[in-house]
Every structure is written in C-alpha cells, then in structure tokens.
C-alpha cells in the first residue's frame, strides 16, 4: 500500500502545484493550502512553520513554505527550504537579477487577489501608486501558464500603479523537478526506515536461533525459498529414510502446490488436513505416517506429509524430532521470504537513488539554461565567458563578442501576443545553434543574444555575425500568427589592450549594436576605438 503524503502550500501556488502533480502522475498526494499571509518583509510568511500534527489521512507532511527543518522526535513532517516563496516557480538567480533591476515580482495566484492585498496594506489607489513607484521600476509576472486570467489581472494592477509591466514565462519545469525530488526523497526515507526495521527484526531472529541453526548448517546458508524447501525435503527424507514424502507450499493458509511423489487429489487432501489443524503441529492419521506443519510466529509456510515410515516402531521419536526441526525450518522459510522482500526493496531503493541522481542532473541543467530557448542563460554565460576572457588576457589571445538584438520585437509581442514572440525566439535560437558558432552562445535577456568567440578577431567575428543575420533573414519564421519576417541588429567588439574587464568588452559590443540600429537596423556594426564603422 502506498504511503499518503500531504503537501502544505500557500493558496497562491495551489494551481501551479496541482498542475505539476498532475503532469507527474501523482494523483494520491493531498494538497493542504494555507490562507495567504504575505507581509511587507520579503520571504517571510506567517504560515512558514510546520503544523503541530500531520493532517488526518496522511502518512507524512511536506511544508513547501518552510524555512526550518522539523526537529520533533519521531516527527513525520518535513519542511522544504525555499529562501523565498517565488523560488517554487524559479531559481534564486532569476529573483536576484529581477529585483536588482528594480522589478516587483508577482505570480498569477497573487494577482487574483491584488485588490484585497492593497486593502490589507491600507493603500488607496494614490498611496499604492506612490509606494510602488518609489520601490519598483516595473511589474514582472512569473507566468506558469496555469491561470488564463493572469495577464488581464497584471495589466489592471499595472494601470492602477501606472507602472510598466512585463511577463516572463517560467513554465512548471522547476516546480515539477523540485516536487519530484522532494517526493522521491521522502519516499526513499520511508522505505529506508522500513528496510532498517525489517533488517533489525531479521537480525533479532538470527541471534535468537543462532544455536539452533548450527544443527541445520545447510539451511542457514540458503536464501531463496525454492532452494530452502528442497533442502527441507531432502533433510526429512534423510532423517526418516523415507522416500514417500510430500511437501506442500502454503501461503495465507492455502496450499499452492506440492513437492514430491503426489497425485492431483493430494493437494485437495492436504488443504483439508491444514484446515483441521486447529491445535498443535502434528496430526496422526491411521497407518504409519503423520503430518507436520512448518510455521514461524503462527504463520504457516508449509505442510509436510510423511506417508509411510520405514520403521513404524520409532514413530514417536520421529514425531518429536519433527516438531523440534519444523520450527527451525519455518524460520528458514520465513527468512527466505524476508530476504526476497529485502532484495525487492533494495532494487527499488537503487532505482529511486538513480532516479534522484538523474533529477539532480536535470536541476543543474535547468539552472544553467534558458527554459525557452535552451541556450545558456545570462548567469551561466557570465561564468564561462569570464574564464575565457581571463585566459585570453593572460596568454594574449584574441577574443571577440557579438551582441544581437531582434529588430521591432516589441511590435511582435504587442501585435500578436507573447506566445508568438516566444515562437520567434525559439526558432531563431534553433537557427543560431545550427550555425555551430565557435564560442559561448547565450540568451542575454529578452530578445537579446550574445556570443563570445575565443581566438576570433573582429573581421572573423563580423563574418560570423553576418551569417547570424542571414540565418534570420533567409526565410520567414513560421508562427501560429503566420509567417513573420524578422531582422536583427548586431554589434561586434574585439579584445583590445585597454579593455580590462569582460563587462567593458560587452559594453563595446553593445555600443556597436546600437550603432547598427541607428544606421537603419538589419546590419552588423564593428566597434573601433575612437570611431565606429559599419561592418559587412
């Protein structure tokens, strides 16, 4: 039976969490949503604490709003560690970059009640406008696509505050990966706990019966049930000198099959005998044989039928010996079944471990990649480009930077919507990848792209920029709004002696890009110290 897990989350994120769980196929996980209690202190929430008890009907609880681990002895609840609730949707780098640029981040869930939030803060429209204009340059919606009314709410909120608004699609990839990793980790810990309990119980059994197992050395070395039953059958055959012996496999007091020289009707007969064994382990039928029940801790695993003893006069001695050995045989079979469960659990844990490793690798990829274009994001570009820049400065290598900005891209978003704009960005990024650019290619932000090309001079970089321009202009981009003809402005700058930092080199490429725009767009401009000249 699967364990029931309950997730605690702010009501603002309930739709996102439900959508993520549905895409993961996690239908049995319950969501316990808290009434939002946002304050003016970023990252703080009055509900970011573990409840005193796990909700009824759940075997565990994960609080997605938490900031401290659960320290209660034996507590079944756990707390996640997002530094800010928006980290549920996006990484810390996005939040830090946006807030540093003066953006006020909102989510679709928060926007559904933005008027109530303003009233709770004691703001009328004028005071709200004054407050937000003083502390923010723009409103940025992190859109997961789960609320079709989010864009309309953003525009209404921005109109009241008289602030620019922007939408960044973040999708549910980060949410899904975070949830899947947390859920798998929780299940892994539960299974490990069960495994430890089973191992402790098994070790206790082994300790209690160590001396008895010395009498049955062969059984103590067996692990699977099939081999153990065959050894028991051979053991009794050897002890009694009896070849006419039948062993019945028993599961949940039902005879499943028989081992030995038996007829089909013998299985029905052995089931009747088993049903009549209410007291004791032995039944003495007429004749020279008897039945021995193989059990352990009142769980029957087998039934032994000794049909004819070669020395009937020693039947009492045989029965006493059988009663003593039967309990040890029951333990051996119980251990074999437990071992089979342990092997299955171990395989499951190993698969879950491998899955967690894969998920961690995916998280690392997402942290370095722009989710829309699958190019490097700005943070990863900066890390790689800094290393390449310092190597070039140290060894005197040449290096160039190409900045690219899609012309009139805002017109595409305003006319056809951001979904069509995203289609343009995705297709253009694909064309750039097809060029096999010799360097570090990234989406720098919005409709801007950047490439750092090690050991590439300005002329070679200008030719490469011309290929980028041609890749965009050679044919329209197919979108749901129809084919769109796009152009771009590109700026090229090479490393010079007076350039001391990567930012300074990027700044020169940026200047050249704006020179290309000033010269009429759809062209490449190359930066030169003291002058700007148009490239190819």
């Amino acid at each position: 039976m699967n364990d029931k897990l309950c997730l605690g989350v702010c009501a603002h994120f309930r739709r996102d969490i439900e959508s993520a769980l549905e895409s993961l196929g996690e239908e049995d996980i319950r969501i316990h949503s808290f009434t939002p209690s946002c304050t003016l202190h970023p990252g703080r929430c009055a509900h970011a604490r573990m409840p005193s008890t796990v909700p009824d009907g759940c075997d565990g609880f994960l609080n997605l709003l938490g900031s401290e681990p659960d320290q209660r002895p034996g507590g079944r609840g756990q707390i996640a560690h997002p530094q800010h609730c928006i980290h549920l949707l996006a990484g810390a780098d996005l939040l830090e970059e946006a807030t540093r640029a003066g953006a006020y981040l909102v989510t679709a869930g928060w926007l559904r009640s933005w008027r109530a939030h303003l009233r709770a803060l004691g703001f009328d429209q004028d005071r709200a406008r004054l407050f937000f204009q003083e502390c923010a340059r723009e409103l940025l919606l992190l859109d997961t696509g789960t609320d079709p009314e989010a864009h309309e709410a953003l525009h209404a909120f921005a109109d009241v505050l008289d602030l620019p608004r922007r939408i960044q699609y973040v999708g549910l990839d980060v949410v899904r990966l975070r949830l899947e990793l947390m859920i798998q980790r929780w299940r892994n810990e539960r299974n490990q706990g069960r495994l430890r309990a089973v191992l402790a119980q098994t070790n206790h059994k082994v300790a209690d019966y160590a001396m008895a197992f010395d009498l049955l050395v062969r059984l103590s070395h067996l692990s699977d049930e099939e081999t153990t039953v065959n050894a028991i059958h051979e053991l009794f055959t050897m002890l009694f000198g009896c070849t006419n012996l039948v062993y019945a496999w028993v599961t949940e007091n039902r005879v499943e099959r028989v081992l030995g020289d038996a007829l089909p009707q013998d299985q029905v007969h052995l089931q009747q005998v088993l049903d009549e064994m209410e007291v004791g382990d032995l039944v003495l039928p007429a004749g020279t044989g008897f039945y021995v029940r193989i059990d352990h801790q009142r769980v029957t695993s087998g039934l032994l039928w000794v049909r004819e003893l070669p020395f009937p006069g020693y039947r009492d001695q045989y029965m006493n010996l059988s009663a003593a050995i039967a309990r040890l045989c029951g333990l051996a079979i119980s251990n074999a079944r437990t071992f089979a469960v342990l092997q299955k659990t171990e395989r499951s844990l190993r698969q879950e471990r491998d899955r967690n490793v894969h998920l961690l690798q995916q998280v690392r990829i997402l942290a370095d990649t722009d989710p829309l274009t699958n190019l490097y994001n700005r943070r990863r570009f900066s890390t790689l480009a800094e290393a390449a820049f310092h190597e070039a400065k140290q060894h005197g290598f040449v290096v160039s930077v190409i900045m690219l900005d899609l012309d009139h891209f805002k017109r595409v978003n305003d006319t056809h919507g951001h979904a069509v704009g995203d289609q343009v960005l995705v297709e253009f990024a694909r064309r750039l990848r097809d060029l096999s650019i010799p360097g570090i290619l990234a989406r720098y932000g919005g409709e801007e792209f950047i490439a750092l090309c090690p050991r590439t001079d300005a002329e070679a970089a200008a030719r490469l920029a011309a290929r980028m321009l041609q890749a965009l202009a050679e044919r329209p981009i197919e979108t749901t709004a129809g084919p769109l003809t796009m152009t771009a402005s590109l700026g090229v700058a090479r490393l010079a002696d007076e350039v001391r930092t990567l930012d300074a080199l990027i700044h020169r490429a940026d200047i050249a890009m704006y020179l290309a725009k000033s010269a009429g767009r759809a062209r490449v401009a190359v930066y030169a110290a003291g002058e700007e000249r148009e490239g190819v």
Side-chain angles (χ1 to χ4, degrees):
M1 184 176 66
N2 293 331
D3 293 327
K4 301 297 182 181
L5 176 62
C6 186
L7 296 179
V9 66
C10 173
H12 286 162
F13 299 95
R14 185 181 182 98
R15 289 189 183 182
D16 301 317
I17 299 302
E18 287 177 341
S19 297
L21 290 175
E22 182 178 358
S23 65
L24 292 173
E26 298 285 0
E27 300 178 354
D28 295 331
I29 294 180
R30 289 173 49 190
I31 296 179
H32 181 76
S33 59
F34 300 116
T35 301
S37 59
C38 304
T39 70
L40 293 178
H41 303 288
R44 297 183 183 176
C45 174
H47 295 298
R49 295 187 298 272
M50 176 63 60
S52 58
T53 58
V54 176
D56 293 338
C58 291
D59 299 299
F61 182 85
L62 290 177
N63 187 353
L64 303 184
L65 298 176
S67 58
E68 296 295 337
D70 179 17
Q71 301 294 339
R72 293 176 291 112
R76 294 180 293 163
Q78 299 181 30
I79 296 185
H81 297 271
Q83 298 168 331
H84 193 288
C85 59
I86 290 180
H87 290 181
L88 290 173
L89 306 183
D93 292 337
L94 186 151
L95 176 61
E96 181 179 352
E97 179 181 341
T99 53
R100 187 185 301 116
Y104 187 87
L105 276 67
V106 294
T107 65
W110 189 92
L111 283 172
R112 283 196 295 271
S113 306
W114 66 267
R115 292 182 177 85
H117 292 312
L118 292 185
R119 287 194 299 270
L121 294 171
F123 287 160
D124 56 21
Q125 182 171 336
D126 292 336
R127 293 179 64 188
R129 183 183 298 113
L130 180 63
F131 173 82
F132 280 91
Q133 287 183 358
E134 187 175 26
C135 67
R137 297 179 183 175
E138 66 174 352
L139 298 178
L140 175 59
L141 168 62
L142 299 181
D143 187 15
T144 59
T146 58
D147 189 345
E149 299 176 1
H151 293 189
E152 182 179 350
L154 174 66
H155 295 317
F157 184 42
D159 289 342
V160 168
L161 301 181
D162 194 19
L163 279 174
R165 77 294 311 267
R166 184 160 58 91
I167 300 172
Q168 180 162 345
Y169 180 75
V170 296
L172 291 173
D173 289 341
V174 172
V175 180
R176 279 193 293 266
L177 285 172
R178 191 186 297 275
L179 285 177
E180 190 168 8
L181 183 60
M182 291 169 56
I183 292 170
Q184 290 299 328
R185 183 178 297 161
W186 179 82
R187 287 174 175 164
N188 187 46
E189 291 174 354
R190 297 278 293 181
N191 288 334
Q192 286 180 343
R194 291 192 181 95
L195 179 59
R196 286 190 293 269
V198 172
L199 286 173
Q201 183 180 12
T202 303
N203 290 335
H204 182 70
K205 291 178 182 178
V206 172
D208 288 344
Y209 290 91
M211 184 176 297
F213 266 118
D214 288 340
L215 302 175
L216 301 167
V217 176
R218 184 176 180 183
L219 290 180
S220 66
H221 293 290
L222 302 178
S223 56
D224 64 282
E225 184 175 359
E226 186 81 22
T227 304
T228 302
V229 168
N230 286 327
I232 291 172
H233 189 274
E234 293 176 7
L235 174 64
F236 276 95
T237 300
M238 178 187 67
L239 290 175
F240 300 150
C242 175
T243 58
N244 193 10
L245 186 146
V246 177
Y247 181 92
W249 266 274
V250 177
T251 302
E252 296 182 354
N253 290 322
R254 303 303 304 173
V255 175
E256 293 185 339
R257 57 193 177 101
V258 295
L259 173 66
D261 186 13
L263 299 174
Q265 59 267 28
D266 289 339
Q267 182 169 339
V268 177
H269 170 70
L270 288 171
Q271 183 64 59
Q272 293 174 345
V273 173
L274 182 64
D275 293 338
E276 295 173 359
M277 279 187 169
E278 298 180 358
V279 180
D281 299 322
L282 301 172
V283 173
L284 301 177
T288 61
F290 56 90
Y291 303 94
V292 181
R293 178 162 53 191
I294 309 297
D295 64 2
H296 177 67
Q297 294 184 346
R298 299 188 179 184
V299 176
T300 301
S301 56
L303 181 62
L304 191 66
W305 182 11
V306 181
R307 290 195 283 195
E308 293 183 3
L309 291 169
F311 304 101
Y314 294 95
R315 187 169 73 165
D316 291 343
Q317 290 88 334
Y318 284 142
M319 287 191 300
N320 292 335
L321 180 60
S322 298
I325 295 178
R327 300 185 189 281
L328 300 177
C329 295
L331 175 60
I333 295 176
S334 176
N335 286 341
R337 292 181 177 182
T338 301
F339 184 76
V341 173
L342 292 177
Q343 284 186 312
K344 182 178 179 181
T345 303
E346 183 181 3
R347 287 193 298 269
S348 176
L349 291 174
R350 189 161 47 246
Q351 291 172 354
E352 290 182 5
R353 180 201 61 196
D354 295 341
R355 184 181 182 86
N356 289 340
V357 171
H358 178 66
L359 289 174
L360 287 173
Q361 292 173 344
Q362 288 184 297
V363 169
R364 294 190 183 100
I365 292 173
L366 284 175
D368 294 338
T369 306
D370 173 59
L372 181 64
T373 63
N374 286 327
L375 299 176
Y376 284 134
N377 57 27
R378 184 168 182 168
R379 184 192 66 81
R380 184 57 176 167
F381 171 82
S382 297
T383 301
L384 297 176
E386 281 287 353
F389 178 86
H390 287 300
E391 181 184 21
K393 290 288 287 183
Q394 182 179 0
H395 299 287
F397 298 150
V398 65
V399 66
S400 298
V401 169
I402 303 173
M403 287 289 291
L404 182 152
D405 186 86
L406 293 177
D407 296 329
H408 304 298
F409 184 76
K410 184 176 183 299
R411 186 183 303 167
V412 174
N413 283 335
D414 293 343
T415 303
H416 303 292
H418 288 272
V420 173
D422 288 347
Q423 294 171 19
V424 171
L425 294 174
V426 170
E427 171 59 20
F428 180 52
R430 186 194 65 77
R431 295 185 186 184
L432 289 180
R433 283 195 298 270
D434 289 345
L435 293 178
S436 299
I437 296 171
I440 305 167
L441 178 64
R443 182 185 179 191
Y444 205 59
E447 66 273 21
E448 282 189 338
F449 296 81
I450 190 170
L452 184 139
C453 304
R455 306 195 183 191
T456 304
D457 59 21
E459 289 72 21
R463 291 193 295 271
L464 180 57
R467 290 174 57 201
M468 295 180 181
L469 186 61
Q470 181 183 4
L472 179 62
E474 63 183 359
R475 66 182 184 279
I477 293 178
E478 296 295 333
T479 71
T480 54
L484 298 179
T485 300
M486 301 295 298
T487 62
S489 299
L490 297 93
V492 176
R494 69 171 182 83
L495 177 61
D497 292 339
E498 65 273 14
V499 176
R500 298 184 179 278
T501 66
L502 175 63
D503 288 340
L505 181 58
I506 293 175
H507 180 65
R508 289 190 170 192
D510 194 58
I511 291 175
M513 181 185 71
Y514 279 101
L515 287 173
K517 285 188 177 291
S518 300
R521 295 184 171 85
R523 65 194 63 212
V524 179
V526 180
Y527 180 91
E531 63 176 352
E532 292 77 29
R533 60 186 175 84
E534 186 177 332
V536 287

